[in-house]
């Protein structure tokens, strides 16, 4: 029997959602994205649940979109439609009335990084790292990275991390505000569960309004950021630099971008 790509466990008032494609470091393929699009709103609506933990199986959080599975477009869905499906997942987390806690072990890269940043709180294992890696292949963040990162770390650091595709380890993430807590790998999920259980004990209506107020406290919205990123990303996907970046990655050499 094939294992589900998304494992859902309810532990009293806390739901634990586990991305379960460990052989790909939990890369997002159409099946997993569909499961997230269906499950997150359902969990958010369930009255018996007060908080949600999002994590990944097999020592990784999420390595981003699975480039081998049609997430960059195909006959069944163009790339713009695929991006919109990914955006639905982010919007479901952001607009959920319940707090979401990301338990990040290992890699949270590309859209996987954005998935962790979309959550309200993050617990990183000491071997975890966050990386908005898009620029390495001639692209830009397309999961809200240009929205999340400057709000969490400030403009200067955000420009550096996004333009250089900086790999941010757990120590630096905690230092600059990308991680709320850190823990040894074997304790990370328990630490996230403990945090979620503490949130679950809080007043749901107040927590919902705090979350909403904080999210809306900045000028501009995540929806506007996502729309901007989608438009620009579609342009970049037509570029020669993308092809160069992908070829360089496949050949394990440094890319030579030409701005075309």
């Amino acid at each position: 029997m094939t294992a589900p790509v998304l494992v859902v466990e309810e532990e009293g008032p806390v739901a634990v959602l586990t991305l379960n494609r460990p052989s790909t470091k939990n890369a997002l393929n159409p099946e997993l994205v569909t499961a997230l699009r269906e499950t997150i709103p359902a969990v958010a609506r369930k009255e018996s649940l007060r908080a949600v933990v999002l994590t990944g199986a097999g020592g990784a959080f999420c390595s981003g979109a699975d480039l081998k599975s049609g997430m960059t477009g195909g006959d069944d869905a163009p790339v713009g439609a695929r991006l919109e499906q990914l955006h639905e997942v982010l919007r479901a987390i952001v607009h959920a009335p319940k707090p979401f806690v990301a338990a990040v072990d290992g890699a949270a890269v590309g859209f996987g990084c954005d998935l962790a940043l979309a959550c309200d709180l993050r617990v990183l294992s000491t071997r975890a790292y966050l990386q908005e890696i898009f620029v390495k292949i001639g692209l830009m963040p397309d999961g809200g990275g240009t929205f999340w990162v400057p709000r969490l770390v400030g403009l200067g650091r955000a420009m550096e991390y996004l333009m250089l595709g900086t790999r941010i380890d757990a120590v630096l993430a905690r230092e600059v505000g990308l991680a709320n807590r850190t823990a040894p790998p074997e304790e990370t999920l328990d630490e996230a569960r403990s945090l979620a259980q503490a949130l679950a004990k809080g007043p749901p209506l107040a927590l919902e309004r705090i979350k909403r107020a904080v999210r809306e406290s900045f000028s501009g919205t995540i929806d506007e950021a996502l729309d901007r990123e989608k438009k620009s990303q579609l342009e970049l996907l037509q570029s020669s630099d993308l092809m160069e970046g992908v070829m360089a990655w496949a050949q394990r050499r440094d890319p030579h971008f030409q701005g075309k």
Side-chain angles (χ1 to χ4, degrees):
M1 187 175 183
T2 304
V5 294
L6 182 66
V7 177
V8 182
E9 300 171 284
E10 294 186 14
E11 303 170 354
V14 174
V16 179
L17 309 184
T18 304
L19 310 179
N20 191 37
R21 301 187 69 228
S23 64
T24 65
K25 295 187 178 180
N26 304 312
L28 296 162
N29 68 348
E31 183 182 2
L32 180 51
V33 171
T34 296
L36 288 167
R37 290 166 63 204
E38 293 174 350
T39 301
I40 290 174
V43 166
R45 289 192 301 266
K46 194 165 184 178
E47 293 184 3
S48 62
L49 296 173
R50 298 287 185 85
V52 182
V53 174
L54 182 63
T55 192
F61 182 73
C62 177
S63 59
D66 190 338
L67 302 181
K68 298 178 181 179
S69 69
M71 288 306 296
T72 55
D75 294 338
D76 58 334
V79 64
R82 291 294 188 202
L83 276 175
E84 189 56 40
Q85 291 167 1
L86 289 165
H87 290 173
E88 283 182 31
V89 175
L90 297 173
R91 288 186 174 104
I93 293 172
V94 171
H95 298 307
K98 299 173 173 63
F100 274 67
V101 180
V104 180
D105 188 21
V109 175
F111 205 94
C113 178
D114 291 327
L115 195 59
L117 296 179
C119 293
D120 304 299
L121 301 172
R122 283 157 295 284
V123 178
L124 267 61
S125 83
T126 51
R127 67 183 180 187
Y129 65 94
L130 304 169
Q131 188 173 18
E132 293 280 6
I133 201 170
F134 299 91
V135 73
K136 299 288 189 181
I137 61 168
L139 294 177
M140 65 176 289
D142 57 13
T146 63
F147 183 88
W148 313 121
V149 180
R151 284 160 172 77
L152 290 166
V153 306
L155 181 61
R157 286 193 178 106
M159 288 295 193
E160 176 184 350
Y161 299 161
L162 297 175
M163 288 184 168
L164 295 178
T166 305
R167 175 170 165 155
I168 303 166
D169 64 23
V171 173
L172 179 58
R174 180 71 184 270
E175 178 184 325
V176 300
L178 292 171
N180 297 91
R181 299 181 184 180
T182 58
E186 66 276 10
E187 298 175 13
T188 300
L189 182 54
D190 286 341
E191 182 71 17
R193 283 192 183 108
S194 176
L195 188 54
Q197 289 285 355
L199 290 165
K201 292 178 181 178
L205 294 178
L207 291 179
E208 176 185 355
R209 283 156 178 77
I210 289 169
K211 176 174 176 174
R212 186 191 308 159
V214 171
R215 293 283 190 180
E216 295 177 356
S217 65
F218 300 99
S219 60
T221 68
I222 178 58
D223 297 305
E224 292 169 347
L226 290 172
D227 288 339
R228 280 196 306 271
E229 291 181 356
K230 178 180 175 182
K231 179 184 177 185
S232 296
Q233 189 75 310
L234 291 175
E235 295 170 353
L236 292 171
L237 284 162
Q238 305 300 315
S239 71
S240 298
D241 277 355
L242 167 62
M243 296 300 298
E244 165 63 11
V246 172
M247 289 178 61
W249 174 81
Q251 297 169 3
R252 298 186 178 181
R253 62 173 174 79
D254 292 333
H256 301 285
F257 297 128
Q258 299 183 38
K260 297 180 180 179

